Amino acid sequence: MWRNSATLSFSSRLLSSSSPSSPNFSSFHYAYAFSIFTPNAVVDHTLSPSHQRLYSSSAAPSPSPSSDSVIKLRFSANKSDAFRPLSFKSSDAIQLARHYGRCYWELSKARLSMLVVATSGTGYVLGSGNAVDLAGLCCTCAGTMMVAASANSLNQVFEINNDAKMKRTRLRPLPSGRITMPHAVTWASSVGLAGTALLSCQANMLAAGLAASNLVLYAFVYTPLKQIHPVNTWVGAIVGAIPPLLGWAAASGQISLNGLILPAALYFWQIPHFMALAYLCRDDYAVGGYKMFSLADASGRRTAAVALRNCLYLVPLGFIAYDWGVASGWFCLESSLITLAISAAAFSFYRDRTTQKARRMFHASLLYLPVFMSGLLFHRLSDDQQSVLENPDRIVELSSFPEDVTESGIDDRKKKLRYITTGPQGRPPVAYASIAPFPFLPVPSYVDQ
């Protein structure tokens, strides 16, 4: 009996959230979805689907039963519950798991979190040098996914009242009542701690620190700032630029100048992306109480100008990646072409500020990012390739000599005359010495300066 009563109380709470006063009472048929948890439940199909009521057979209108009949009813209910087939119980558990799995998926904004994981994974590959550690890559991506899911869940916890007012967000789990606030907070806290711990154990403390700081910046700075000042867009761009830096730090253990190219691209890319979105959804943002840049720009001219300016900032990144030895010259060409394409869409929006032009710029921004990251991965240069390009005259390989030459007359171990004169990371290339009887041969000697 305790399970029937608990199930009925659970269903009643769900039904209370689907009342006409709820913002989306017609979007989810709670009575239908959870009638499987109550074997003796009856659904009144005479009402509209959005107002279906769930009754237990004991609660149905009937003549007042005698005490003997009540005892018989209780005995039969206990007997049926005790001998209930295990297949029904497993079916109930599967349906419950599906329900909460769907809630967790939406709380985490899974598609957005996977985009964050993609940028973090790209940063990891770029920072790996000659060989990519697949296990480390998987752990970094998993930890990033957990932390991103936690940040997005906390974002929805803090914005539950705002989400209930907007058409675009009123069907989320918290405003619709499909999951309780304490449950969502518990989920966000546990998955965030697990992700940070995974990064600290399997990557390094630098990557874990970047993940934790990004979670705090997104959930506790960017989220409340959305209701205070339009500068929230630029703060959100910083949040989006940190994951590729996290991946680079997880792979290399440091933050170097070469590792800032992809974060810079993410930062400048997010501005036109969010400006287009804010222009398309400006009415909805106004209803939700958000202070977006486009709301203070009735004509849309400043919004379009900001988007165009940040698109132009993307133009030199391809050349910088080539000049710094991160990617080949082909990436410089490809990056310039796709950046000019998104800049053309932004310029079209600047000239003609309509919903159609804003949507076109939004779609162009969606296309830009995966193409840019794919090109950067495809044309990336390993450490050895960078050494060859930077010092093409400092590689000597003498295969025409019939004998191997020893580095010292005392040392009997012979070494092939192939000297790659590139120092470790952060050190100057080489200092030269001579070998008798071949004084013209350069010998690498790493020197700290």
Side-chain angles (χ1 to χ4, degrees):
M1 291 296 292
W2 64 270
R3 177 150 48 80
N4 285 340
S5 61
T7 309
L8 285 174
S9 63
F10 180 50
S11 302
S12 63
R13 287 198 302 268
L14 291 172
L15 284 170
S16 65
S17 64
S18 63
S19 61
S21 61
S22 181
N24 63 331
F25 63 91
S26 62
S27 64
F28 190 85
H29 300 169
Y30 299 102
Y32 177 77
F34 287 92
S35 62
I36 61 171
F37 296 115
T38 308
N40 300 324
V42 177
V43 178
D44 185 2
H45 293 283
T46 60
L47 299 175
S48 62
S50 60
H51 293 79
Q52 288 180 348
R53 300 174 182 175
L54 185 65
Y55 301 99
S56 66
S57 57
S58 61
S62 60
S64 299
S66 62
S67 60
D68 294 337
S69 62
V70 170
I71 295 174
K72 290 180 180 180
L73 286 173
R74 288 181 178 177
F75 177 77
S76 61
N78 291 331
K79 184 177 180 181
S80 63
D81 184 65
F83 292 97
R84 189 181 180 202
L86 292 177
S87 60
F88 289 165
K89 296 180 182 180
S90 62
S91 177
D92 293 352
I94 292 173
Q95 294 296 332
L96 191 63
R98 287 179 178 177
H99 167 72
Y100 282 114
R102 183 66 181 176
C103 290
Y104 296 152
W105 177 273
E106 295 182 16
L107 280 174
S108 304
K109 300 180 184 177
R111 289 183 294 179
L112 177 61
S113 296
M114 286 188 286
L115 177 62
V116 174
V117 170
T119 62
S120 178
T122 303
Y124 188 95
V125 174
L126 293 175
S128 296
N130 295 327
V132 179
D133 181 9
L134 294 180
L137 174 62
C138 293
C139 291
T140 300
C141 290
T144 304
M145 183 70 183
M146 293 180 185
V147 175
S150 174
N152 287 323
S153 300
L154 290 175
N155 173 266
Q156 295 188 49
V157 167
F158 295 144
E159 294 181 347
I160 180 173
N161 295 327
N162 304 84
D163 288 345
K165 301 175 184 178
M166 300 172 61
K167 295 179 181 179
R168 190 170 59 91
T169 57
R170 64 176 54 176
L171 301 183
R172 287 176 176 175
L174 284 171
S176 62
R178 283 180 285 159
I179 195 170
T180 63
M181 180 78 75
H183 193 152
V185 172
T186 303
W187 154 258
S189 303
S190 59
V191 75
L193 291 174
T196 306
L198 179 62
L199 289 172
S200 62
C201 295
Q202 300 300 323
N204 50 61
M205 292 303 298
L206 178 59
L210 287 172
S213 62
N214 209 30
L215 190 155
V216 172
L217 184 62
Y218 182 81
F220 299 99
V221 178
Y222 166 72
T223 296
L225 198 59
K226 289 168 65 178
Q227 305 177 46
I228 299 174
H229 197 274
V231 77
N232 65 81
T233 301
W234 285 264
V235 176
I238 296 175
V239 172
I242 290 179
L245 194 62
L246 184 158
W248 181 284
S252 64
Q254 60 182 351
I255 298 177
S256 61
L257 197 60
N258 288 355
L260 298 178
I261 294 177
L262 186 56
L266 263 294
Y267 177 84
F268 293 127
W269 166 81
Q270 285 177 96
I271 304 300
H273 175 78
F274 285 124
M275 287 298 168
L277 181 64
Y279 186 85
L280 291 172
C281 304
R282 57 190 183 279
D283 294 335
D284 218 16
Y285 281 128
V287 172
Y290 296 113
K291 305 295 183 182
M292 308 306 292
F293 186 81
S294 60
L295 297 182
D297 182 23
S299 64
R301 187 177 184 87
R302 288 191 300 161
T303 303
V306 170
L308 177 60
R309 182 169 63 248
N310 283 270
C311 285
L312 295 177
Y313 292 156
L314 293 169
V315 173
L317 291 180
F319 176 77
I320 293 175
Y322 165 70
D323 186 62
W324 291 358
V326 178
S328 65
W330 286 106
F331 174 74
C332 178
L333 177 62
E334 295 171 1
S335 174
S336 300
L337 291 177
I338 61 174
T339 305
L340 290 176
I342 190 176
S343 300
F347 182 71
S348 178
F349 175 54
Y350 178 77
R351 292 185 60 186
D352 186 14
R353 294 174 297 279
T354 62
T355 302
Q356 180 182 2
K357 300 294 185 180
R359 185 173 288 108
R360 182 178 299 177
M361 186 180 70
F362 180 76
H363 291 160
S365 67
L366 292 178
L367 181 63
Y368 173 86
L369 188 60
V371 174
F372 183 89
M373 291 195 302
S374 300
L376 195 55
L377 288 176
F378 186 77
H379 297 291
R380 81 178 187 97
L381 299 178
S382 63
D383 290 343
D384 288 344
Q385 291 172 320
Q386 292 179 26
S387 301
V388 172
L389 291 178
E390 292 174 0
N391 307 294
D393 297 331
R394 296 183 181 179
I395 296 178
V396 178
E397 185 172 2
L398 300 179
S399 59
S400 60
F401 286 89
E403 296 181 351
D404 294 334
V405 180
T406 57
E407 184 178 359
S408 175
I410 300 175
D411 190 2
D412 293 331
R413 291 175 300 176
K414 296 182 179 181
K415 298 182 179 180
K416 297 290 184 180
L417 284 178
R418 184 178 185 276
Y419 300 94
I420 301 176
T421 59
T422 303
Q425 293 182 357
R427 294 186 176 185
V430 294
Y432 288 96
S434 62
I435 300 178
F438 300 103
F440 60 89
L441 292 179
V443 176
S445 174
Y446 301 109
V447 179
D448 290 322
Q449 293 181 356

